[in-house]
Amino acid sequence: MTDLICVSDANGVRTLRFDRADKKNAITRAMYSAMAEGLEEANTRSDIRVVVIAGSEGCFSAGNDLMDFMEAPPHIGGGETPPVERFMMALMMCEKPVIAAVDGLAVGIGTTLLLHCDLVYATERALFTTPFVNLALAPEYGSSQILPGIVGRAVASEMLLLGAKWDAKKAEAKNLINAVLPTEGFDAAVMEIAQQITQLAPGAVKTAKMLINLPPEDIKDRIVREGGLFAEQLRTDEFKEAVTAFMERRTPDFSKFG
């Protein structure tokens, strides 16, 4: 574990925060390991409903720490699992909703990790760039497939071929992020969104996230898949609580479900 990742749990939300502001939150192997551990544990804890990934004030992450990176260049899928791959898999496999809160610089994996989060919010001073080709490197973390699917091939090439820098407004316009929020009160605003999710039925949230992240399939097959899961949810105590609360004209209480 490293003290360069701050882990805090409050009211059903786990926050994983990069805390290396003097190095613009450049991520080391130890930091990747700590992030992976935080995500893996959150995935097993029924009391944690949402994970928030954040940075320091004015800087999300400058990407990989290049000195650390050069000491032990990772080979994703090459046998022994490097810390960055463990983090990548932990984020991809997390069944809880993950929200990214981007304030300031988001370079390299500071941007590509956002493609694996469920919701992404940024301040007006956020700046997104993926300068892999500029460093004589290839794109990473599925970005060569996911980003064109979000913004289109030509627009994705701005980032992945030219290493273009997108401000928050362009990132929002191109659907890289959900919304631009005011810098003042940013953390509180993101936490309010996270709290909304903690009040929902966790089983239903898990199922919805799973469906959203499935690979494309024939629409008839998807309808059948959804129908089967819908039928399963109808038999859950979560659904009973939702219906009872509706009949009693009260807010449902899903706190006892995990």
Side-chain angles (χ1 to χ4, degrees), residues 7-28:
V7 182
S8 59
D9 299 333
N11 302 317
V13 180
R14 164 158 291 188
T15 301
L16 301 172
R17 186 179 297 278
F18 299 118
D19 190 22
R20 198 188 182 202
D22 60 320
K23 298 294 184 181
K24 296 184 179 180
N25 292 329
I27 310 172
T28 65

Side-chain angles (χ1 to χ4, degrees), residues 31-211:
M31 292 168 70
Y32 279 124
S33 293
M35 290 289 288
E37 184 175 325
L39 286 162
E40 290 163 354
E41 184 188 25
N43 211 29
T44 66
R45 292 258 304 268
S46 61
D47 60 317
I48 295 175
R49 304 295 181 92
V50 184
V51 177
V52 172
I53 297 177
S56 308
E57 183 177 354
C59 183
F60 184 67
S61 174
N64 285 305
D65 181 294
L66 290 180
M67 293 301 293
D68 186 89
F69 185 79
M70 292 300 293
E71 285 181 7
H75 183 179
I76 307 299
E80 184 177 348
T81 303
V84 63
E85 183 177 3
R86 180 185 172 195
F87 162 70
M88 289 176 172
M89 294 302 108
L91 179 54
M92 288 177 60
M93 300 302 292
C94 187
E95 296 178 340
K96 311 294 176 72
V98 180
I99 302 174
V102 182
D103 181 20
L105 198 62
V107 178
I109 197 166
T111 288
T112 59
L113 74 84
L114 307 177
L115 303 175
H116 299 275
C117 294
D118 301 290
L119 296 165
V120 183
Y121 299 95
T123 65
E124 302 100 322
R125 60 188 175 188
L127 188 66
F128 306 86
T129 183
T130 55
F132 302 117
V133 172
N134 307 63
L135 294 170
L137 296 171
E140 61 168 12
Y141 207 177
S143 58
S144 62
Q145 177 172 306
I146 300 172
L147 191 60
I150 294 173
V151 305
R153 188 181 69 175
V155 177
S157 294
E158 286 184 19
M159 297 197 82
L160 299 179
L161 280 179
L162 297 176
K165 297 177 180 179
W166 289 4
D167 62 19
K169 288 184 178 179
K170 182 165 185 177
E172 181 182 26
K174 298 301 182 182
N175 298 319
L176 181 64
I177 65 175
N178 289 82
V180 181
L181 303 177
T183 301
E184 185 175 353
F186 178 61
D187 286 348
V190 172
M191 191 57 63
E192 183 176 344
I193 294 168
Q195 286 297 320
Q196 292 179 36
I197 299 175
T198 67
Q199 303 306 306
L200 302 174
V205 169
K206 177 181 176 181
T207 300
K209 172 169 178 169
M210 180 273 291
L211 285 167

Side-chain angles (χ1 to χ4, degrees), residues 193-239:
I193 294 168
Q195 286 297 320
Q196 292 179 36
I197 299 175
T198 67
Q199 303 306 306
L200 302 174
V205 169
K206 177 181 176 181
T207 300
K209 172 169 178 169
M210 180 273 291
L211 285 167
I212 291 168
N213 286 293
L214 282 177
E217 58 187 325
D218 183 271
I219 192 63
K220 293 180 181 178
D221 293 336
R222 179 58 63 90
I223 291 171
V224 171
R225 184 190 299 276
E226 291 172 338
L229 293 167
F230 193 97
E232 290 179 12
Q233 291 295 134
L234 287 173
R235 297 191 291 271
T236 65
D237 290 334
E238 287 183 354
F239 178 69

